[in-house]
Amino acid sequence: MTDALDRIAAALERLAPPPAPDADLNAHPAYLWDGRALTAARGFAPLPLDTLTGVDQQKTALVGNLQRLAAGNAAHDVLLWGARGTGKSALVAAAASAARVALVDVATHTLDSLPHLFARLGTTARPFAVFVDDLGFSSPDEARTLRSLLEGGAEARPATVRLLVTSNRRHLVARDLAEQDSAINPRDVVDDALALADRFGLSLGFHAIDQDTYVAIVAGYAQAYGLNFDAQDAINWATRRGSRSGRVAWQYVVELAGREGRTLPR
């Protein structure tokens, strides 16, 4: 009987092996959380903060908030919302690096494991920014879970840990109720999302940019990496893509570097 139980236990361990040990929480600038363990982010190379153009107010607010966190002072959870490709994620990485706050990248499907992550991060005095990119919910319960973690949960988060969340929509709600047809009561979904958005002490909006700002973003990148560019060529690139954004500007700079046989850090 004992042999049979040992074989069953061994088989279960093979099917669901124990998580790898966490990476040293004081040794790396960024980490990845898979719901079970923390691993060091390889090749973490955020853009220099001064190359991010057209988001000066957002940059000042986010860096200032993270600097307070790094100094051991009160700091806000942050919601960065707005148009796609406007630099929300790039700013998060650059600001965390500038403020000397370790970044922890969390996949949205692991939100229910955040209490375990907070418990592990609380074992060190190092400040952490837990980053959830492009937040969306497949069920109302997920929004309620995150809301309780932000405020009102039974167990407080470590004072050294704050959440940074990006979303394409200010109130974290779907574009229309048709996107929520799986919900029993769509109004409840909207109310939960609005209640969640209100829990963020700092909300930063990112908006579509005009042509001059787009060219200025390209110019900033080109100067930072020693690349020559023609403004009209950059405009034509954006026209062909059907969009002007920080993301498209970066993609154009990657194209420039490729033409010159150069590489870029990301």
Side-chain angles (χ1 to χ4, degrees), residues 214 218 229-256 259:
Y214 165 76
V218 172
F229 87 102
D230 176 75
Q232 188 57 53
D233 187 47
I235 292 169
N236 292 341
W237 173 273
T239 300
R240 291 193 297 271
R241 297 299 301 270
S243 173
R244 288 191 301 262
S245 69
R247 179 177 298 153
V248 171
W250 176 254
Q251 291 167 346
Y252 173 70
V253 170
V254 171
E255 173 69 14
L256 286 182
R259 292 175 189 173

Side-chain angles (χ1 to χ4, degrees), residues 47-146:
L47 293 169
L49 199 59
D50 58 6
T51 65
L52 300 179
T53 304
V55 290
D56 292 340
Q57 291 183 339
Q58 298 94 325
K59 187 190 307 184
T60 298
L62 183 58
V63 172
N65 187 65
L66 292 179
Q67 286 175 334
R68 292 197 295 270
L69 179 64
N73 299 324
H76 294 295
D77 298 301
V78 186
L79 174 64
L80 301 91
W81 60 271
R84 292 176 297 175
T86 48
K88 300 184 292 294
S89 301
L91 179 56
V92 166
S97 179
R100 299 186 182 278
V101 172
L103 193 67
V104 181
D105 195 338
V106 174
T108 55
H109 70 273
T110 66
L111 291 181
D112 60 348
S113 68
L114 282 179
H116 302 293
L117 173 60
F118 293 152
R120 296 186 191 186
L121 297 180
T123 62
T124 174
R126 189 182 189 191
F128 291 92
V130 172
F131 178 39
V132 182
D133 195 20
D134 196 18
L135 180 65
F137 300 109
S138 59
S139 72
D141 287 342
E142 291 179 349
R144 295 186 189 110
T145 297
L146 185 55

Side-chain angles (χ1 to χ4, degrees), residues 123-186:
T123 62
T124 174
R126 189 182 189 191
F128 291 92
V130 172
F131 178 39
V132 182
D133 195 20
D134 196 18
L135 180 65
F137 300 109
S138 59
S139 72
D141 287 342
E142 291 179 349
R144 295 186 189 110
T145 297
L146 185 55
R147 188 179 71 196
S148 69
L149 290 171
L150 285 165
E151 184 179 318
E155 184 174 355
R157 279 178 295 145
T160 53
V161 178
R162 287 296 173 265
L163 275 169
L164 306 183
V165 171
T166 68
S167 173
N168 291 337
R169 301 180 184 117
R170 182 175 188 175
H171 297 302
L172 305 174
V173 297
R175 192 180 308 277
D176 55 51
L177 293 182
E179 297 181 36
Q180 304 166 25
D181 57 4
S182 63
I184 295 175
N185 188 340

Side-chain angles (χ1 to χ4, degrees), residues 19-35:
D22 288 335
D24 187 340
L25 294 180
N26 294 295
H28 306 283
Y31 300 83
L32 304 176
W33 171 252
D34 64 2

Side-chain angles (χ1 to χ4, degrees), residues 208-227:
I209 60 176
D210 59 23
Q211 181 169 288
D212 290 343
T213 302
Y214 165 76
V215 172
I217 293 172
V218 172
Y221 285 147
Q223 181 178 4
Y225 298 109
L227 298 168

